[in-house]
């Protein structure tokens, strides 16, 4: 029982940290009222998913996936790296679009707090 | 993979992530996010994915921080409670 | 409701700090050299067009932060940024189409070996990859600079208002 616990639960701590980070980002996206805080939560959420993918590709005792002449050992899996490289590019584009929306909302309503924006919309009768 | 270094870095990452979403000063939150990205890049070097680590250090810690500060200069700095 | 403005105001004339200006003027050439190194070494190691382009754009962002948005904004017109963005895409697509044209339709799009830069097929392939990376780097550099300008700087209302009417 104890061995099973150590091998299956504790030795895979990367995945647990990834889940914790995902929940931290999700909490910030839902519960925080400030729009910039929501964007920061979105960034943390995305990075947690990157951590999950990179942990999937890692091998104990492996080396970087760059070909070395005469090397007989194992390399780590390079496929998740390529997927995450694309995802980082998408992440920075998402961030730029989100910030542009935040700036436009500030110029429209004069605040970046979610509750005040909802109050103003109610006053306007939307 | 070196488990002790990995554990220390991941613990610091979780602590910085919690600090980044609790702090009231948004400029501090952005700087903590920058530190978070650099630590994440270190974790990825240590997991043998140098390409992703390089991209994260350039994009996550450089360009994203610059964009967030640029957006902050057009809005307000302090979060209201 | 208090709409307090932050310190980093938009477009106000401020005397720059001597230390910040000198250090950024010293650092910018080295950052750009490192960006070119990253772009050229992208085929055989970590790095590549996107990362090098981001670092090259970051050097411009450093200049903008050090010298003030208005002084730097006059030197980076929006039209030049758009031209650089298109130029990078044209280099990428042009190299890809050159492969098809020079092999008379036998090779695929971006099959670099058929560009006759040298006599060896493999060297052609490596050089073609570098050309494509340079195109990607130019586009990413222009896009990063343009995004930063549009986020940080509210342009003069007379331009936008005049066009809308």
């Amino acid at each position: 029982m104890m061995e099973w616990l150590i091998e299956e639960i504790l030795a895979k701590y990367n995945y647990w940290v990834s889940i914790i980070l995902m929940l931290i980002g999700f909490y910030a996206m839902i519960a925080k009222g400030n729009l910039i805080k929501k964007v920061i939560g979105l960034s943390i959420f995305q990075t947690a998913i990157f951590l999950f993918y990179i942990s999937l590709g890692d091998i104990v005792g492996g080396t970087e996936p760059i070909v070395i002449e005469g090397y007989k050992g194992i390399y780590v899996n390079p496929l998740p790296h390529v997927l995450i490289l694309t995802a980082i590019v998408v992440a920075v584009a998402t961030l730029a679009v989100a910030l542009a929306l935040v700036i436009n909302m500030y110029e429209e309503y004069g605040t970046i707090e979610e509750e005040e924006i909802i109050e103003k919309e109610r006053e306007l009768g939307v | 993979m070196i488990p002790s270094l990995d554990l220390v870095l991941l613990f610091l990452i979780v602590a910085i992530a919690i600090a980044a979403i609790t702090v009231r000063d948004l400029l501090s939150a952005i700087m903590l996010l920058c530190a978070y990205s650099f630590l994440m890049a270190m974790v990825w070097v240590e997991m043998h994915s140098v390409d992703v680590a390089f991209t994260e250090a350039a994009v996550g810690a450089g360009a994203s921080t610059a964009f967030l500060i640029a957006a902050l200069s057009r809005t307000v700095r302090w979060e209201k409670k | 409701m208090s709409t307090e403005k932050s310190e980093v105001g938009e477009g106000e004339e401020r005397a720059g700090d001597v230390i910040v200006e000198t250090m950024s003027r010293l650092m910018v050439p080295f950052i750009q050299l490192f960006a070119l190194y990253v772009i050229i070494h992208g085929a055989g190691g970590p790095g590549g067009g996107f990362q090098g382009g981001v670092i090259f754009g970051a050097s411009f962002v450093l200049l903008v932060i050090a010298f003030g948005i208005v002084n730097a904004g006059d030197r980076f017109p929006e039209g030049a940024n758009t031209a650089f963005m298109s130029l990078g895409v044209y280099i990428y697509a042009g190299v890809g189409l050159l492969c098809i044209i020079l092999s008379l339709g036998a090779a695929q799009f971006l099959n670099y070996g058929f560009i006759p830069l040298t006599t060896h097929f493999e060297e052609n392939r490596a050089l073609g990859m570098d050309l494509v990376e340079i195109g990607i780097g130019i586009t990413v550099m222009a896009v990063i600079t343009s995004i930063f300008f549009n986020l940080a700087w509210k342009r003069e209302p007379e331009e936008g208002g005049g066009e809308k009417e």
Side-chain angles (χ1 to χ4, degrees):
Chain A
M1 181 63 197
M2 203 61 207
E3 267 181 20
W4 176 84
L5 195 72
I6 289 173
E7 276 179 14
E8 298 290 325
I9 307 289
L10 290 181
K12 294 175 178 157
Y13 52 86
N14 274 3
Y15 301 107
W16 294 105
V17 172
S18 157
I19 289 168
I20 290 169
L21 284 177
M22 219 180 276
L23 292 178
I24 289 171
F26 200 44
Y27 168 77
M29 280 168 72
I30 289 178
K32 290 286 169 183
N34 193 296
L35 291 177
I36 298 235
K37 275 283 172 66
K38 280 178 195 282
V39 175
I40 289 174
L42 183 71
S43 279
I44 293 175
F45 197 111
Q46 282 168 333
T47 323
I49 293 169
F50 302 162
L51 179 63
F52 177 71
Y53 265 67
I54 299 293
S55 304
L56 279 180
D58 197 16
I59 297 172
V60 176
T63 183
E64 283 85 358
I66 299 169
V67 176
I68 307 164
E69 296 286 338
Y71 177 67
K72 295 282 188 244
I74 46 175
Y75 296 105
V76 299
N77 188 1
L79 182 62
H81 303 178
V82 180
L83 292 175
I84 292 311
L85 222 54
T86 315
I88 288 176
V89 178
V90 176
V92 71
T94 316
L95 184 79
V97 173
L99 290 176
L101 288 176
V102 169
I103 288 173
N104 274 327
M105 284 175 94
Y106 179 75
E107 283 178 357
E108 184 78 23
Y109 294 102
T111 174
I112 52 171
E113 302 288 330
E114 196 186 14
E115 290 175 3
E116 293 175 12
I117 290 173
I118 292 173
E119 231 168 66
K120 283 201 170 181
E121 283 199 328
R122 247 185 225 132
E123 280 170 18
L124 291 171
V126 177
Chain B
M1 184 152 72
I2 312 157
S4 53
L5 181 63
D6 210 18
L7 273 174
V8 171
L9 284 175
L10 288 172
F11 176 76
L12 277 175
I13 280 172
V14 172
I16 289 180
I18 291 173
I21 67 165
T22 31
V23 71
R24 296 276 306 282
D25 188 355
L26 288 175
L27 191 61
S28 304
I30 291 167
M31 281 303 135
L32 283 169
L33 196 72
C34 179
Y36 171 91
S37 286
F38 268 124
L39 281 175
M40 211 58 155
M42 280 174 73
V43 168
W44 287 337
V45 169
E46 189 254 349
M47 281 185 189
H48 307 295
S49 62
V50 276
D51 219 353
V52 182
F54 197 88
T55 316
E56 175 74 16
V59 173
S64 294
T65 310
F67 289 168
L68 278 161
I69 291 176
L72 204 62
S73 74
R74 295 273 298 273
T75 56
V76 288
R77 177 172 170 179
W78 297 92
E79 183 185 23
K80 286 176 202 159
K81 254 293 164 5
Chain C
M1 178 185 319
S2 69
T3 54
E4 46 182 333
K5 281 285 177 189
S6 51
E7 285 284 315
V8 199
E10 62 218 36
E12 57 196 56
E13 294 285 335
R14 268 188 302 151
D17 193 46
V18 176
I19 297 173
V20 172
E21 283 190 3
T22 315
M23 279 315 291
S24 54
R25 202 175 284 161
L26 272 175
M27 277 175 71
V28 161
F30 291 104
I31 295 174
Q32 290 177 346
L33 196 65
F34 179 61
L36 291 177
Y37 167 81
V38 168
I39 290 176
I40 295 299
H41 277 254
F50 181 76
Q51 289 91 331
V54 168
I55 295 172
F56 214 97
S59 74
F60 291 141
V61 170
L62 176 65
L63 271 184
V64 169
I65 290 174
F67 290 94
I69 191 85
V70 174
N71 292 335
D74 296 335
R75 298 196 185 175
F76 292 93
E78 190 65 28
N81 263 334
T82 316
F84 273 123
M85 276 181 229
S86 324
L87 177 71
V89 179
Y90 275 127
I91 289 176
Y92 183 90
V95 170
L97 279 177
L98 213 59
C99 304
I100 300 181
I101 293 167
L102 289 176
S103 68
L104 301 176
Q108 297 91 345
F109 188 72
L110 288 179
N111 193 350
Y112 313 106
F114 289 92
I115 303 174
L117 291 169
T118 58
T119 49
H120 292 284
F121 192 79
E122 286 78 15
E123 282 185 23
N124 284 346
R125 184 166 278 172
L127 284 173
M129 218 179 277
D130 282 344
L131 279 180
V132 167
E133 300 272 6
I134 287 168
I136 296 170
I138 290 172
T139 302
V140 171
M141 181 262 295
V143 167
I144 292 284
T145 318
S146 172
I147 288 176
F148 182 78
F149 267 111
N150 285 322
L151 281 181
W153 190 21
K154 186 176 185 183
R155 292 185 185 277
E156 295 302 314
E158 53 188 11
E159 283 180 42
E163 284 172 0
K164 270 176 195 169
E165 283 172 275

